[in-house]
Amino acid sequence: MPEDDVRLPRELLELAATLDAGDPLAAYRSEFVLPEGVLAYLDGNSLGRPLRITRERLARFVDGEWGERLIRSWDERWLDRPTAVGDLVGRAVLGAAPGQTVVGDSTTVMLYKLIRAAVDARADRTEIIADTENFPTDRFVLARIAAETGRTIRWIDPDPATGVQPAEVAALLGDRTALVVLSHVAYKSAYVADLPGITAAAHRAGALVLWDLCHSAGAVETELDAAGVDLAVGCSYKFLNGGPGAPAFGYVAERLQGELVQPITGWMGHAEPFAMGPDYVPASGIRRFLSGTPPILSMIPLEDMLTLVERAGMPAIREKSVRLTEYAIAVADEVLAPLGVVVASPRDADRRGGHVTLEHDLMRAVVEELWRRGVIPDFRPTRGLRVGLSPLSTSFAELATALAHVRQLLEEGSGG
Ligand SMILES: *Cc1c(COP(=O)(O)O)cnc(C)c1O
């Protein structure tokens, strides 16, 4: 079959067309860079597409803020960017009041800083609760901090298909628990953990909680202030489209900011960076969680996306995300399950984030061939094809095209 004739059965194509026609966010797709060589992009949860407006904004930045204003821009605008963009993340995405979110560092470094600060603030408590299904960097950073500070990690080994259950956390919580570190949306299965419930349980035990929001931010709503979350960290290059290497965001609840001391005491977190004094005096508020010179360039695409997210609104974005994952599961059940594909993401929409993982022994080879064709999901070992569905840039027709290619390759019995 010629590659451009690859299609789903008619009723599934019609369903995609109906869903696109009824999608209140459909018009947002044209805001993104959509090259013809990409038939379908299903990896917006790893690296979001750029916005068209970003081209012009970056060019203007080179000529103006950087080219003409030069070093003067630090005083005029740049010094406040980490907290100003942080406030925008808080407002548009996290359910966080101003003054609690900062943008900077990589997710890995931000995780290190906030986990270390939290553990140090619970000096008499010796344990950290975490889970073995979390992303490698989270586990690696935790292991190092445990070693540095003489803490023990109490690992939960969750069922990968479900995710960390509140009862599993409750079983380990106690007066030795300093901190609980979990992902809100699991990077493999997309399982959505019970953020308010686990946060409340940790607090009853006197522990702090840090939520990793890498796979939530921009796809699944969080109400950090309302849930009383202590700390959160997330990526800005996934569903927030900040571009490769765009900085992380870190959230520290206002009530904890005076108490926590972060370990990377650089000049940008100093109360008076340009006083150049002999000793480190932390800035008041969220600024004390900065370390070095912030990545101003990367904040431009991020701000562009945040503006769009705020305009669309997280409730509508989440609604579309649910419709997209529902459609992917409907197609998988109808045409991929007979070929041996297993849906390895929750079927309950309330417990499912913005992606769907489809498992099959041939997926590694299938994904390789899909990429060659310009159909771009990603592969997660050992046998998962991850269908990442960025709500503002993905159409149902695009998703249908991609899944038709998956079906065709599996029918051929190989990666092509
Ligand atoms: C993507 C991701 C990271 C990435 O960390 P970086 O420092 O940005 O490379 C960390 N944690 C989780 C849960 C992720 O999904």
Side-chain angles (χ1 to χ4, degrees), residues 106-108 134-135 137-138 183 187 212 214-215 235 237-238:
S106 64
T107 308
T108 302
N134 208 343
F135 191 82
T137 223
D138 302 59
S183 277
Y187 81 105
D212 186 321
C214 282
H215 282 278
C235 285
Y237 51 80
K238 292 176 176 168

Side-chain angles (χ1 to χ4, degrees), residues 6-214:
V6 177
R7 285 208 173 78
L8 289 179
R10 180 134 62 96
E11 84 281 2
L12 286 170
L13 277 181
E14 283 171 3
L15 176 57
T18 305
L19 287 163
D20 274 328
D23 172 14
L25 302 181
Y28 283 92
R29 184 170 150 82
S30 65
E31 305 275 345
F32 295 84
V33 176
L34 302 169
E36 280 184 7
V38 178
L39 297 187
Y41 189 52
L42 303 183
D43 218 351
N45 59 335
S46 254
L47 179 72
R49 290 185 189 257
L51 283 162
R52 289 191 296 138
I53 196 176
T54 299
R55 281 189 200 125
E56 186 194 316
R57 288 243 301 150
L58 284 172
R60 238 187 297 145
F61 178 87
V62 170
D63 288 332
E65 274 182 52
W66 183 8
E68 183 176 342
R69 299 313 299 163
L70 291 160
I71 194 85
R72 294 173 289 186
S73 279
W74 279 112
D75 288 335
E76 291 166 359
R77 197 172 145 83
W78 295 343
L79 271 180
D80 289 338
R81 291 285 85 197
T83 49
V85 179
D87 283 346
L88 183 52
V89 175
R91 188 173 77 224
V93 178
L94 304 179
Q100 302 179 103
T101 311
V102 73
V103 170
D105 306 314
S106 64
T107 308
T108 302
V109 171
M110 191 65 87
L111 279 168
Y112 178 81
K113 286 162 62 167
L114 298 193
I115 293 171
R116 183 66 206 257
V119 167
D120 288 349
R122 291 292 176 272
D124 54 339
R125 290 172 170 243
T126 55
E127 296 180 354
I128 303 169
I129 297 175
D131 78 291
T132 55
E133 282 289 306
N134 208 343
F135 191 82
T137 223
D138 302 59
R139 290 183 279 110
F140 300 160
V141 163
L142 276 164
R144 184 67 215 146
I145 289 175
E148 273 174 3
T149 66
R151 297 302 200 292
T152 303
I153 302 180
R154 303 289 306 273
W155 291 104
I156 295 168
D157 198 6
D159 178 344
T162 53
V164 176
Q165 299 298 310
E168 294 174 301
V169 180
L172 298 179
L173 275 169
D175 55 12
R176 286 201 288 264
T177 315
L179 178 68
V180 178
V181 177
L182 297 171
S183 277
H184 180 221
V185 175
Y187 81 105
K188 282 191 196 161
S189 69
Y191 183 84
V192 179
D194 176 4
L195 180 147
I198 291 173
T199 300
H203 288 170
R204 284 194 296 275
L208 296 169
V209 187
L210 182 147
W211 287 98
D212 186 321
L213 305 179
C214 282

Side-chain angles (χ1 to χ4, degrees), residues 315-328:
I317 289 173
R318 170 64 173 157
E319 176 73 21
K320 178 165 181 193
S321 169
V322 169
R323 297 278 162 273
L324 283 163
T325 53
E326 268 172 357
Y327 181 75

Side-chain angles (χ1 to χ4, degrees), residues 314-380:
M314 276 308 299
I317 289 173
R318 170 64 173 157
E319 176 73 21
K320 178 165 181 193
S321 169
V322 169
R323 297 278 162 273
L324 283 163
T325 53
E326 268 172 357
Y327 181 75
I329 290 174
V331 173
D333 285 345
E334 192 152 331
V335 304
L336 301 179
L339 300 167
V341 168
V342 174
V343 174
S345 293
R347 286 181 177 270
D348 173 4
D350 289 341
R351 294 264 74 94
R352 185 176 67 238
H355 63 272
V356 172
T357 297
L358 304 176
E359 292 188 341
H360 191 287
D361 284 342
L362 294 176
M363 284 310 190
R364 187 187 292 272
V366 166
V367 170
E368 215 169 276
E369 173 60 16
L370 288 171
W371 279 39
R372 199 192 60 75
R373 294 181 178 187
V375 173
I376 312 175
D378 73 14
F379 177 75
R380 283 292 174 268

